[in-house]
Amino acid sequence: QVQLVESGGGLVQAGDSLRLSCVASGRTSSVRGMGWFRQAPGKEREFLSTIRWISGTTYDADSAKGRFTISRDHAKNTLYLQMNSLRPEDTGVYYCAASERDFSGWKDDYDYWGQGTQVTVSS
């Protein structure tokens, strides 16, 4: 089992930046890919960005390109999401997820999920 704990969310103004963190614990040696998703009120959980855990190869959704950057720190078993130029439509709960197969843009490919961290962007 892998446990994931997100942090770094909060209330910010449009144009601000935030860095989300996700610490993995447990059987982290089984992790092959990790990703960030978000869920706005009344909407489906949306893919943002994913990273292959060993190589660092990344893939971003169109909604994340140019403003969000995913990265990881192996030594700390930590995943990050740097978010710049935040907009009110970025408001939602942000989740990290881990896969034992590979990085992926599909939420059904992930085996473990964190509890989420709330990001609220005011206009």
Side-chain angles (χ1 to χ4, degrees):
Q1 293 284 328
V2 176
Q3 294 79 43
L4 303 172
V5 178
E6 302 98 334
S7 63
L11 172 62
V12 296
Q13 292 188 330
D16 286 350
S17 297
L18 275 178
R19 189 176 78 156
L20 305 183
S21 300
C22 172
V23 178
S25 61
R27 204 176 68 165
T28 57
S29 60
S30 68
V31 173
R32 296 294 175 266
M34 293 192 74
W36 285 101
F37 293 75
R38 73 179 172 202
Q39 189 163 17
K43 293 191 175 181
E44 295 273 327
R45 194 166 296 190
E46 172 194 14
F47 164 71
L48 294 173
S49 190
T50 183
I51 189 166
R52 186 168 275 163
W53 193 244
I54 301 298
S55 70
T57 302
T58 63
Y59 176 74
D60 300 319
D62 287 344
S63 57
K65 286 178 181 175
R67 295 191 301 127
F68 296 178
T69 303
I70 191 171
S71 63
R72 87 277 189 254
D73 184 329
H74 271 150
K76 296 181 180 180
N77 283 326
T78 302
L79 179 74
Y80 301 101
L81 185 68
Q82 177 67 43
M83 304 188 295
N84 299 325
S85 302
L86 284 162
R87 306 165 181 165
E89 53 264 39
D90 293 320
T91 293
V93 179
Y94 284 67
Y95 297 91
C96 71
S99 170
E100 294 182 332
R101 287 172 291 279
D102 202 351
F103 72 156
S104 172
W106 299 100
K107 59 181 185 292
D108 290 345
D109 287 342
Y110 287 86
D111 303 291
Y112 307 100
W113 292 84
Q115 294 296 310
T117 185
Q118 176 71 44
V119 172
T120 303
V121 184
S122 63
S123 57

